[in-house]
Amino acid sequence: MSNLPHLDAITIVARATIAGEQASDAALRNLADLVSATTTQAEAIQLPPHATQSTLDHLRTAMIAAFDSRRAVVMAHQELGALAQRLGASPESFGDLWPCPRFPTGATEQAPRLRAAA
């Protein structure tokens, strides 16, 4: 690995960025679990749909906010990656110490787009 003068700063910010992305994903999963549990249990105790509509409206708002937050964190990661490159950091310069997740061997850099079933 090259002798980068800002190695520690780049590594600290990269780890915090990845933790933020992972937290965003966890928040989405937790909210999805909450929606699922709410609707499943409401059905199990035979509540009428209007009994939980207000709750689901709030959860919808929370999900939208969570998706927006995730997008912002990912975009910040892109900006920070560009800054790190300007400071001389790259997967090649870091070698096995590169803090960002890499695509699995054989995977393309562009992940396929998922399509919703109509």
Side-chain angles (χ1 to χ4, degrees):
M1 177 170 58
S2 67
N3 186 12
L4 293 174
H6 306 294
L7 172 66
D8 289 340
I10 291 167
T11 302
I12 289 167
V13 171
R15 287 186 180 139
T17 301
I18 293 163
E21 289 172 335
Q22 291 169 341
S24 293
D25 286 347
L28 286 168
R29 285 190 305 274
N30 292 339
L31 286 167
D33 290 346
L34 179 54
V35 169
S36 179
T38 300
T39 56
T40 299
Q41 296 310 309
E43 183 179 340
I45 62 173
Q46 298 179 344
L47 288 177
H50 71 297
T52 56
Q53 186 58 51
S54 180
T55 298
L56 293 175
D57 288 342
H58 291 300
L59 291 174
R60 177 184 175 274
T61 300
M63 288 291 286
I64 291 169
F67 278 114
D68 289 344
S69 176
R70 185 185 191 279
R71 180 183 304 111
V73 172
V74 168
M75 295 307 294
H77 188 162
Q78 297 297 314
E79 293 293 328
L80 289 165
L83 177 58
Q85 282 186 330
R86 288 199 321 258
L87 294 172
S90 69
E92 294 77 26
S93 67
F94 270 65
D96 290 340
L97 299 177
W98 185 247
C100 298
R102 298 177 194 230
F103 280 92
T105 303
T108 62
E109 289 292 321
Q110 179 69 30
R113 293 194 175 268
L114 299 177
R115 293 185 200 168

